[in-house]
Amino acid sequence: MGTSFVFDHPDAMRSVCGINDSNIPYIEKLLGCGIYVRGDRIECHSDESADPQTVAHVFSELLDRLCRLAEITSDISEPEILMEYKAVQGAIDKEEGSSPSKREFISVLSKAVYPKSHNQEEYIRAMNRSQITFGIGPAGTGKTYLAVAYSLGELLSGRKQKLILTRPVVEAGESLGFLPGDLSQKLNPYLKPLYDSMEAIIAPATIRRLEESGAIEIAPLAYMRGRSIHNACVILDEAQNTTQAQMKMFLTRIGENSCAIITGDVTQIDLPKESASGLLQARKILQGIEGIEFVGFSAADTVRSRVVQRIIDAYEKNESR
């Protein structure tokens, strides 16, 4: 039994099918059916062992979501298809309807940065509506990348005047003061993940100009004490390694016209055993406070590659034993 999906626009069809229909075999693998491209439509033919109604429903919902995604970006490949497929399966499990007509995304200059999972979409909504947003979850789930994208969008649009990048420095045998170079050079290795995210969104030359003008500032968390931050986006990365005193100090630096995005992975705490994590305490005592939101990520949100998802799943299963 077969079903077909008709594209409204050839550009959407090109994006969804990929160059030389390169995405079709992957969609076939996910759905477990044969897919054929014919003119302005693609057809799905399931075998007798599958429930044809279920396959037809998943097929149409997936193609609908991918077409909506094509309105934002033409770069659709396996990771994007996998995340949309997971979203469809999640909606079916929860007996929800089709995807909403409005897709959340972040605009940075002429580039659109879009979520690749339901939790990433909720994360963007939280950053848009709350002054302080916590993104907590394992590596590769997009929490730091989306925080950087959101903050760059606010900075480059003029809605904020400064982007401040900070993180706790958990030293391993050497004091930060003994490292070579000025403060920026000392901190650069610690903040490399944030710079990797920025360079994936805007040109390195633009980042340097913003640094030289003071629009992008880096600071060790300890240097935030005594400051009052206004009209800025502040990203606190690796927040699981803040002490309870550091987290309280950081959160009380944020002025009314500023926002803070705190990211961390509570399974990767590197603090000495006698020090409790400020991120864990914040998650416990700040739930439900107006203007503060927590968004949790899991292995299902991992967008680096399928093998990274499998690695995270394996570790989570081992830790739950």
Side-chain angles (χ1 to χ4, degrees):
M1 183 175 177
T3 186
S4 63
F5 184 93
V6 179
F7 289 88
D8 294 330
H9 199 281
D11 288 343
M13 186 173 185
R14 281 192 292 270
S15 297
V16 172
C17 293
I19 299 172
N20 297 323
D21 297 337
S22 58
N23 289 337
I24 297 301
Y26 186 61
I27 297 175
E28 286 180 321
K29 182 178 178 180
L30 288 175
L31 299 181
C33 64
I35 294 178
Y36 307 91
V37 180
R38 307 187 192 281
D40 64 348
R41 73 184 192 277
I42 59 177
E43 297 178 354
C44 173
H45 294 271
S46 58
D47 58 35
E48 295 180 357
S49 64
D51 178 6
Q53 289 186 331
T54 300
V55 172
H57 178 64
V58 174
F59 172 74
S60 60
E61 288 292 311
L62 175 61
L63 269 293
D64 182 62
R65 291 187 68 95
L66 289 174
C67 283
R68 295 183 191 280
L69 184 58
E71 296 173 2
I72 303 172
T73 177
S74 61
D75 185 18
I76 296 177
S77 56
E78 286 191 13
E80 289 75 32
I81 295 169
L82 178 61
M83 287 298 168
E84 296 303 329
Y85 175 74
K86 287 183 176 181
V88 171
Q89 294 285 38
I92 291 173
D93 292 342
K94 296 176 183 177
E95 298 182 349
E96 296 175 352
S98 61
S99 59
S101 57
K102 182 179 182 299
R103 294 294 302 270
E104 296 289 339
F105 68 96
I106 300 166
S107 179
V108 184
L109 297 178
S110 59
K111 183 171 183 175
V113 177
Y114 56 91
K116 298 183 180 181
S117 72
H118 173 72
N119 286 331
Q120 289 190 3
E121 199 158 16
E122 284 300 308
Y123 191 41
I124 293 175
R125 291 194 184 101
M127 289 188 287
N128 280 324
R129 67 191 172 210
S130 296
Q131 188 177 5
I132 297 174
T133 305
F134 288 81
I136 303 174
T141 52
K143 57 188 185 297
T144 299
Y145 179 76
L146 290 176
V148 168
Y150 176 82
S151 299
L152 285 174
E154 294 292 290
L155 176 65
L156 295 172
S157 68
R159 291 187 290 270
K160 294 290 188 290
Q161 292 180 352
K162 180 175 280 193
L163 166 56
I164 300 174
L165 308 173
T166 188
R167 57 158 289 172
V169 177
V170 179
E171 297 169 351
E174 282 190 353
S175 171
L176 188 66
F178 286 97
L179 294 175
D182 58 21
L183 181 61
S184 175
Q185 292 168 327
K186 292 174 191 289
L187 275 176
N188 187 59
Y190 293 94
L191 294 170
K192 193 66 172 69
L194 293 168
Y195 275 87
D196 288 343
S197 296
M198 284 197 290
E199 290 173 0
I201 300 167
I202 60 175
T206 303
I207 297 171
R208 287 194 294 272
R209 286 197 298 270
L210 291 170
E211 286 182 311
E212 290 167 359
S213 68
I216 292 179
E217 175 190 341
I218 63 173
L221 184 58
Y223 285 45
M224 304 289 283
R225 188 177 301 278
R227 296 183 64 175
S228 183
I229 299 168
H230 298 285
N231 204 25
C233 286
V234 191
I235 299 176
L236 171 57
D237 197 33
E238 298 290 326
Q240 75 274 6
N241 289 326
T242 59
T243 64
Q244 293 181 356
Q246 285 176 327
M247 180 62 77
K248 180 180 177 182
M249 177 273 293
F250 172 79
L251 293 172
T252 55
R253 302 304 96 203
I254 309 302
E256 281 297 322
N257 56 341
S258 290
C259 66
I261 307 165
I262 298 106
T263 66
D265 177 1
V266 295
T267 68
Q268 298 290 327
I269 297 173
D270 300 316
L271 290 168
K273 290 183 179 180
E274 63 272 14
S275 298
S277 170
L279 181 59
L280 289 175
Q281 184 192 46
R283 187 172 64 175
K284 180 179 178 181
I285 69 176
L286 298 180
Q287 295 278 359
I289 293 181
E290 184 178 355
I292 300 176
E293 289 194 57
F294 290 81
V295 179
F297 296 90
S298 68
D301 300 295
T302 306
V303 295
R304 285 182 179 170
S305 69
R306 279 176 282 168
V307 72
V308 173
Q309 288 180 312
R310 297 187 192 112
I311 291 169
I312 294 171
D313 283 335
Y315 272 95
E316 288 181 345
K317 288 177 184 176
N318 182 67
E319 290 162 2
S320 65
R321 290 174 183 172

